[in-house]
Amino acid sequence: VLLNRLVPSPKFFSNGYGEDFQMGQERYEKSLKELANGSYKFTLTEEMIDWGTKTLKAGVSIQVARFQSPLMDALPKESMYSKFLLVEPLKKDKEASKTNNGKPKVYVLMLPATGEMGASVRLNMAKTLAIEHGYSSVILTAPYYGERKPKNQTLFFLSSVRDILIQAQGIIEESAAVAVFLLKQSPNNTVLFTGFSFGAAMSSIACSFALKAGMDGSRLGAALYVGCASPCVLSDGVLEDGIAWEALRGRRGGEEPTASNESHKTTRKVLFEELYKTQLENIKPPEGNDAAIVQGNSMEHDHFIKVKYAREFEQQVQATSQQDYQVEWLPGGHVFAALARPLLHKKLIVDTCSKIRMIE
């Protein structure tokens, strides 16, 4: 605490709710309406993807790809194009021809955690999954992160509430678009959404988004590693110390200040309600088109994602799976989960993929 006072660290939402907060809300509500009335369309095709050169190394191929984000109109110029890495196992000619002739292919879509600007941890997992299990992986960069970070943003500290809502919607719609693109490539392809923390939350919503838009649930699944149901956890617990509360005090979703002496409890409640709108239960898939299987891990002693939010997540995910949502509670907290991620997250992915293939 003393160090933070002497050398202040960056904060989330230093620009409050954002000047065009209402536009961000309207953009999200537009997608929800289109999902509800069946008019939402996935338009990503091979021709729309800018594929980079393949790098072949240590038994895998790695290829950078970009495409125009479905939220291009709402994103800063640095974030307008989605970026992902495609990591695939190298196969001998005979094995490759078998795959092309109908052998099921698994794609693991890896979404980033809060602050996961780069791809190193996910890339190492993807390499192992390719070499040991023959899985392909798609490692997505979220809007406002990595190469998509606006020049005026400090590290991963998004400047406004509007930014985090658009970031969430962006990674949801971009990853769902990639999933649908891969499913359309072959009736034998299977797609698994996965992520850690914020990535797990967004994976669950992206999976539901694709299901609600009419994709075949029997070929979709999710492996949710220590997640929650929405970004609202930022406003509660350990993480709330990282928010610029003064910039939010007395405001209501981007309006001019109404009460500069508003209590912290009230300010936090207003923020919680805004963040809660990006919530898994808001995108519940239609009955009869659930994901093949959804599995997850939660931590028993987590102070970043409180147990009550993990339980809420458990209840909401249950409504998106054809089978009982299977969650394993592990000892430890968020830091342990991050350190053990190369082992535990990978294990969860492999176990979930195996069960999807058994269902097939």
Side-chain angles (χ1 to χ4, degrees), residues 4 7-12 14 154-157 241-244:
N4 189 50
V7 186
S9 61
K11 301 279 188 181
F12 284 102
S14 59
T154 303
L155 302 175
F156 57 87
F157 293 91
D241 290 337
I243 291 175

Side-chain angles (χ1 to χ4, degrees), residues 179-241:
V180 171
F181 168 76
L182 294 171
L183 291 175
K184 287 181 176 178
Q185 297 302 296
S186 169
N188 298 297
N189 287 350
T190 297
V191 171
L192 180 83
F193 288 91
T194 193
F196 167 47
S197 192
F198 177 74
M202 297 302 102
S203 291
S204 66
I205 299 175
C207 185
S208 286
F209 198 96
L211 291 168
K212 197 170 181 68
M215 293 302 103
D216 181 6
S218 68
R219 296 192 287 141
L220 280 172
L224 310 174
Y225 184 62
V226 192
C228 53
S230 78
C232 67
V233 295
L234 280 172
S235 66
D236 192 11
V238 173
L239 294 175
E240 68 177 291
D241 290 337

